[in-house]
Amino acid sequence: MIVKCPICDGTGKKIVKYRICPVCEGTGYIDEFSPKRHIKRVSKRAKYDLDYGEIECPKCKGTGKVPIYAKCDFCGGSGKVVKCDRCGAIIGKYPDFKDRTLCDKCLKEEEERKKGLRNVYVFDELATFYDVEPGKFYKGVVTRIEKYGAFINLNDQVRGLLRPRDMISLKLEDLNVGDEIIVQAIDVRPEKREIDFKYIPLTTYDLVKYEKEIPISQIKDITKNLVEMRDQIVHIRGEVVQIVQTPGPTVFTITDGTDFTWVAALEIAGLRAHPEVKVGDIVDVIGRVTIREGRLQIERIKLVKLEGKEAEEIKKKIEAEIDKRAEPARDIKFLVKSEVLEKLRPKMADVAKRIRKAVLDGRPIIIRHHADTDGYCGGIALEKAILPIIDQFAIDVDAIWHFFKRRPSKAPFYELEDVTKDLVFSIEDSLKFGQKLPLIVLIDNGSTDEDIPAISKAKAYGIEVIVIDHHYPGEVVDGRVEVDDYVDAHVNPYLVGGDSNLTAGVLGTEIARMINPDVEDEIKHIPGIAVVGDHAKGNEVEEYVKIAIERLTELSKKYGKGREYDREYLEKISLCMDFEAFYLRFMDGKGIVDDILATNIKEFKRHEDLIEILYEQAIKMVERQMKAVIPALKTEFLENGIILNTLDVEKYAHKFTFPPPGKTTGFAHDYIVQKYGEDKPIITLSYGPDFGVVRATDAVHEKYNFNLNLIVEQLMEEIPEASLDGGGHECAGSLKFVEGLRNKVISRFIEIIRNMKPKE
């Protein structure tokens, strides 16, 4: 026990010598007297006839000397000493002997006493079958009685059998469930989770607590040695990334940054265990290693939610580990040489890292892409790179279905309808299955101010949003545009001085190779299809087309019909993809899209068969549409040299069938271009009740600085009552307006075209 020091009386100091009092100079009294100070309730002006000797010195209390102190040697200055609990003798100073309860003499007597006693071990909750040693005694509890013996639990995990033949001076009928009993282990078979006990009556014994310390392990190390570590007790710390309530246990998915594991906790079947633990919390878990569906699962023995600095430090370690594992192939060589791509490399690497990090962090990923050839190409390229990583790192065998969604958008921007669906499904998954909110990747849309409302809605829920786009994003100032204030990462050629010719399919494929270089052979031909489908131009475009032709020819010879392919075949694939996208609408087309874009390389023959079938159907419908459209197409040669073509698709085109107004305008424009030449400044405008579609040759942009996005902005300012919006590329896009002002909008648009002047 701890008591006051008897030498210094708990002060921690002792008097070593005295010195003359500096106040009274050794006399013991003071020369000056203040009535107010020395006598209570007396005015300082009062006069008293008092001798000096009657006033005691306040410093030395009349002794004339004051003590000088030093630290007490006996207690070391603490003022406390430790006494023996048994005899009361002083053991030593505090805190050096704070853990001692007996003096040396009593300790020796206690050791002598214990020599005649047997140790009886009391297991804590962490002990396992592997901790039981034959010949030793253990304290247990009777949990079940059968004719062949009684089952004795040493803790919740360790149980053995006491047979009647192994009982000395004890009968089976004398035992009741819940009785405490001391037994001896005679045979231990930990691999079978079996123990045979023997009962020997003990009159004197010493209870010894068996407290097992489990070192903290990394999940990846447990996973590597899963079979060898089965049934062993492990200790992990990590972040909860998902919570699922099954009809039995509550299953927590936990990551420590190195890997994932399930932790199963059962209180009552179907009832939520540890309701205080939420997704994102840091927990300390001790449990037994088991295997479920071929993957690691830890059966919880102890689970504690950590808070404060300890949780913050663990969170930082997890983030650092994930950050390290999420590092993409930053320096991978692009498929073609491109100054624009090199300037975009840091932004592309950042996007690749964010996507990898989302997978490692247990967040679902939603890819939203435009529902055309270029959008599908970009989305499929990313999908091919992401799914193997999810399958590799996620613990759920069905993770590729639960943690990844690819959804097309009909509009060339992220609509409020799209984000509403994404939010509803994501929040439902979070509530039903305990998932984190997703990472949203917008590809082939997301860069314009039309995307901001939907993106803002997603950001209100703290969702990370990434944009990979090639559409004109508006004015670029210091490498930034308006949408950059709302998104977490943005890749667009315009940000580094490029243009729309490096399409979303190109950007998506190159980023996919950074995410997962192993998928290059499956996707290297995709950019060639994308650029042809989007009518891109440039040296890089021709290089991608060449790669695609060589790769598709190679695949045909190895897995298909052995054909030689050219650019025309890429145009066929593009038309088939647009044709299929029209009927897929809001479905992702998994499987069919893979076959159309030839990413399922071992089934290339099926790709060739499918292209033949779809192309035949698509071209018939295009020809049918063109028979109606061409006669109604009005061509006017303007005074400024521009060839302007107009078409009322509401009256002169088939509705609700392929090709839709946008593609119809494209085919009509191509017809005029073939007629007059691609080097001519040609603009084609088709319109319906409340929309317009525009296509233009590059010559218009080069000779007249034509930019559809700038014209849309001008119309919005001049005719605000039309509630106009739209845009797209410089030479291709759309307009939307209220139906009642169609004539005013279309007339003003044509007037702007008429007034355009060629560059000097």
Side-chain angles (χ1 to χ4, degrees):
M1 70 183 74
I2 301 171
V3 298
K4 289 197 300 185
C5 173
I7 303 300
C8 65
D9 196 29
T11 64
K13 56 186 179 180
K14 65 179 181 178
I15 299 173
V16 293
K17 64 180 180 178
Y18 290 89
R19 62 185 176 90
I20 295 174
C21 176
V23 176
C24 66
E25 297 180 350
T27 63
Y29 60 88
I30 58 176
D31 294 334
E32 296 181 359
F33 170 69
S34 170
K36 183 70 175 179
R37 181 179 176 188
H38 294 284
I39 302 177
K40 292 182 179 180
R41 293 183 296 279
V42 174
S43 171
K44 64 181 181 179
R45 296 181 179 178
K47 303 295 184 181
Y48 289 91
D49 185 16
L50 298 172
D51 293 335
Y52 290 123
E54 295 177 358
I55 307 305
E56 185 181 87
C57 174
K59 179 72 174 178
C60 63
K61 308 299 182 185
T63 63
K65 57 184 179 179
V66 292
I68 297 175
Y69 294 96
K71 184 170 67 174
C72 177
D73 296 330
F74 196 73
C75 66
S78 67
K80 302 174 184 178
V81 293
V82 180
K83 289 180 66 175
C84 177
D85 289 347
R86 183 173 296 176
C87 68
I90 293 176
I91 300 173
K93 58 187 177 182
Y94 178 89
D96 295 351
F97 293 87
K98 65 178 181 179
D99 296 327
R100 288 279 297 273
T101 57
L102 299 176
C103 63
D104 291 341
K105 179 181 176 183
C106 294
L107 188 62
K108 187 175 181 180
E109 291 175 355
E110 179 67 14
E111 290 174 353
E112 291 295 328
R113 184 186 73 82
K114 286 185 176 181
K115 286 182 180 179
L117 299 178
R118 291 185 181 275
N119 287 335
V120 175
Y121 295 94
V122 181
F123 270 7
D124 67 1
E125 59 186 357
L126 305 181
T128 68
F129 283 89
Y130 291 91
D131 298 312
V132 180
E133 299 181 30
K136 290 189 175 181
F137 288 84
Y138 299 91
K139 184 178 181 180
V141 177
V142 179
T143 56
R144 181 177 156 199
I145 300 175
E146 301 290 347
K147 292 181 180 180
Y148 51 83
F151 288 94
I152 312 297
N153 274 41
L154 305 187
N155 61 19
D156 290 340
Q157 288 77 43
V158 181
R159 184 175 73 167
L161 180 63
L162 175 63
R163 293 182 172 83
R165 68 171 184 265
D166 295 320
M167 299 180 184
I168 298 177
S169 71
L170 182 68
K171 295 182 179 179
L172 190 62
E173 51 268 25
D174 295 334
L175 294 175
N176 296 301
V177 173
D179 288 349
E180 292 186 347
I181 186 172
I182 295 173
V183 291
Q184 183 183 30
I186 55 176
D187 188 16
V188 182
R189 301 176 293 280
E191 67 283 351
K192 294 183 178 180
R193 301 170 66 86
E194 295 177 355
I195 305 174
D196 290 334
F197 288 129
K198 183 177 183 180
Y199 175 77
I200 299 176
L202 298 179
T203 54
T204 58
Y205 55 85
D206 186 39
L207 288 177
V208 178
K209 287 185 178 181
Y210 186 92
E211 296 180 345
K212 187 173 183 179
E213 292 188 5
I214 310 295
I216 297 175
S217 301
Q218 289 187 328
I219 297 175
K220 70 173 183 180
D221 295 331
I222 303 172
T223 304
K224 285 180 181 178
N225 304 287
L226 187 56
V227 176
E228 295 82 356
M229 295 189 70
R230 187 172 186 172
D231 290 333
Q232 293 189 27
I233 302 299
V234 294
H235 184 186
I236 64 168
R237 286 178 171 178
E239 178 185 357
V240 179
V241 298
Q242 186 179 12
I243 304 173
V244 178
Q245 181 58 57
T246 71
T250 304
V251 179
F252 301 86
T253 303
I254 295 174
T255 180
D256 63 355
T258 66
D259 206 343
F260 291 89
T261 183
W262 287 311
V263 174
L266 178 64
E267 302 290 349
I268 299 175
L271 185 65
R272 171 78 147 83
H274 301 286
E276 75 281 1
V277 177
K278 310 296 181 186
V279 172
D281 286 343
I282 302 298
V283 293
D284 184 291
V285 179
I286 297 176
R288 178 181 295 104
V289 175
T290 61
I291 300 175
R292 182 168 74 91
E293 297 177 356
R295 312 235 175 168
L296 170 64
Q297 176 171 289
I298 297 174
E299 291 184 359
R300 173 223 57 183
I301 296 174
K302 182 179 179 182
L303 189 152
V304 179
K305 176 182 175 181
L306 300 179
E307 296 178 314
K309 289 185 177 180
E310 187 177 22
E312 290 177 5
E313 290 177 0
I314 295 172
K315 179 73 172 177
K316 288 179 181 178
K317 289 181 180 178
I318 293 173
E319 289 179 350
E321 185 66 32
I322 290 176
D323 197 66
K324 182 172 66 176
R325 296 173 68 206
E327 192 63 29
R330 291 180 179 270
D331 299 325
I332 193 169
K333 186 179 179 181
F334 291 124
L335 292 173
V336 303
K337 290 183 179 181
S338 170
E339 291 184 9
V340 174
L341 286 178
E342 289 298 339
K343 291 177 181 178
L344 278 174
R345 184 183 289 275
K347 293 181 181 292
M348 296 169 71
D350 179 46
V351 166
K353 184 172 183 177
R354 288 175 182 272
I355 292 173
R356 286 180 59 88
K357 194 170 184 178
V359 174
L360 297 173
D361 196 31
R363 279 183 292 157
I365 295 175
I366 296 175
I367 291 181
R368 273 284 182 183
H369 60 81
H370 189 207
D372 67 356
T373 297
D374 188 37
Y376 271 100
C377 285
I380 283 290
L382 292 176
E383 178 180 309
K384 288 294 180 181
I386 293 170
L387 290 184
I389 298 177
I390 293 177
D391 190 51
Q392 176 184 356
F393 293 116
I395 190 169
D396 188 352
V397 293
D398 296 322
I400 60 174
W401 302 102
H402 301 156
F403 286 84
F404 182 86
K405 295 289 185 296
R406 178 179 53 78
R407 296 167 180 158
S409 296
K410 297 299 289 184
F413 59 92
Y414 195 32
E415 288 189 295
L416 285 171
E417 181 182 357
D418 296 332
V419 73
T420 299
K421 291 178 181 178
D422 293 341
L423 286 175
V424 168
F425 292 142
S426 297
I427 293 171
E428 284 182 356
D429 288 345
S430 178
L431 295 174
K432 286 181 181 178
F433 310 117
Q435 290 182 352
K436 291 183 176 181
L437 291 177
L439 163 70
I440 295 179
V441 181
L442 306 178
I443 184 162
D444 202 26
N445 52 29
S447 283
T448 69
D449 55 0
E450 290 182 280
D451 300 274
I452 291 176
I455 293 172
S456 298
K457 190 172 181 180
K459 295 302 292 182
Y461 286 85
I463 292 175
E464 186 178 4
V465 179
I466 291 172
V467 171
I468 305 168
D469 198 7
H470 71 128
H471 290 90
Y472 179 70
E475 185 180 3
V476 180
V477 180
D478 297 328
R480 290 178 60 83
V481 292
E482 186 178 1
V483 78
D484 285 324
D485 293 332
Y486 301 88
V487 301
D488 297 277
H490 185 193
V491 174
N492 190 313
Y494 283 95
L495 299 178
V496 294
D499 56 28
S500 62
N501 286 307
L502 289 177
T503 68
V506 170
L507 300 174
T509 300
E510 297 293 5
I511 291 173
R513 294 174 63 242
M514 288 182 171
I515 295 170
N516 186 358
D518 294 339
V519 300
E520 179 175 321
D521 287 343
E522 298 177 50
I523 63 175
K524 64 190 297 184
H525 62 283
I526 284 181
I529 299 172
V531 295
V532 168
D534 231 40
H535 302 285
K537 302 286 190 301
N539 294 330
E540 296 102 325
V541 170
E542 296 307 317
E543 287 297 316
Y544 280 121
V545 169
K546 182 180 178 182
I547 291 171
I549 293 171
E550 291 176 352
R551 179 59 176 163
L552 292 174
T553 299
E554 177 187 349
L555 292 175
S556 181
K557 291 180 178 179
K558 188 172 183 179
Y559 300 108
K561 299 179 179 181
R563 294 173 177 172
E564 294 276 347
Y565 288 120
D566 54 17
R567 189 187 188 101
E568 184 180 350
Y569 188 68
L570 301 183
E571 293 173 352
K572 285 185 177 181
I573 295 175
S574 172
L575 177 60
C576 292
M577 187 66 257
D578 287 332
F579 177 71
E580 193 68 20
F582 179 82
Y583 294 102
L584 286 172
R585 299 187 186 278
F586 297 105
M587 297 181 289
D588 61 11
K590 192 179 291 292
I592 295 177
V593 175
D594 293 272
D595 286 330
I596 293 173
L597 297 180
T599 56
N600 190 1
I601 58 178
K602 291 187 178 180
E603 298 293 338
F604 194 81
K605 184 177 182 298
R606 185 166 62 197
H607 156 79
E608 292 175 313
D609 292 339
L610 189 60
I611 293 300
E612 289 177 4
I613 295 168
L614 294 179
Y615 183 74
E616 182 181 357
Q617 295 172 348
I619 206 68
K620 283 182 180 179
M621 300 188 77
V622 170
E623 289 173 350
R624 173 174 172 263
Q625 185 78 298
M626 288 301 100
K627 287 179 181 179
V629 164
I630 297 302
L633 191 63
K634 297 178 181 179
T635 301
E636 182 178 359
F637 294 86
L638 304 182
E639 292 182 0
N640 57 8
I642 294 176
I643 303 173
L644 177 62
N645 308 277
T646 56
L647 172 67
D648 188 342
V649 291
E650 177 69 12
K651 294 180 179 179
Y652 301 106
H654 296 284
K655 299 177 184 177
F656 314 117
T657 186
F658 184 84
K663 296 299 293 182
T664 298
T665 305
F667 286 121
H669 178 72
D670 292 343
Y671 169 80
I672 298 297
V673 170
Q674 289 177 5
K675 184 175 181 179
Y676 294 105
E678 194 169 348
D679 58 333
K680 294 291 191 298
I682 301 171
I683 297 176
T684 303
L685 168 65
S686 66
Y687 50 86
D690 59 352
F691 68 88
V693 181
V694 179
R695 297 290 184 267
T697 57
D698 290 338
V700 185
H701 175 63
E702 294 167 359
K703 296 178 181 179
Y704 295 83
N705 283 327
F706 177 82
N707 188 327
L708 176 62
N709 299 285
L710 299 180
I711 295 177
V712 170
E713 291 177 5
Q714 182 179 344
L715 291 173
M716 292 170 66
E717 293 178 2
E718 294 180 358
I719 318 175
E721 65 272 21
S723 187
L724 194 144
D725 62 22
H729 300 300
E730 288 96 331
C731 297
S734 61
L735 310 170
K736 290 184 180 179
F737 40 78
V738 295
E739 184 173 348
L741 293 175
R742 183 186 77 168
N743 291 339
K744 186 174 182 180
V745 172
I746 297 300
S747 297
R748 180 56 184 147
F749 180 87
I750 294 174
E751 184 181 351
I752 292 172
I753 300 301
R754 290 181 186 277
N755 294 332
M756 292 178 65
K757 296 180 179 180
K759 294 180 183 179
E760 294 182 359

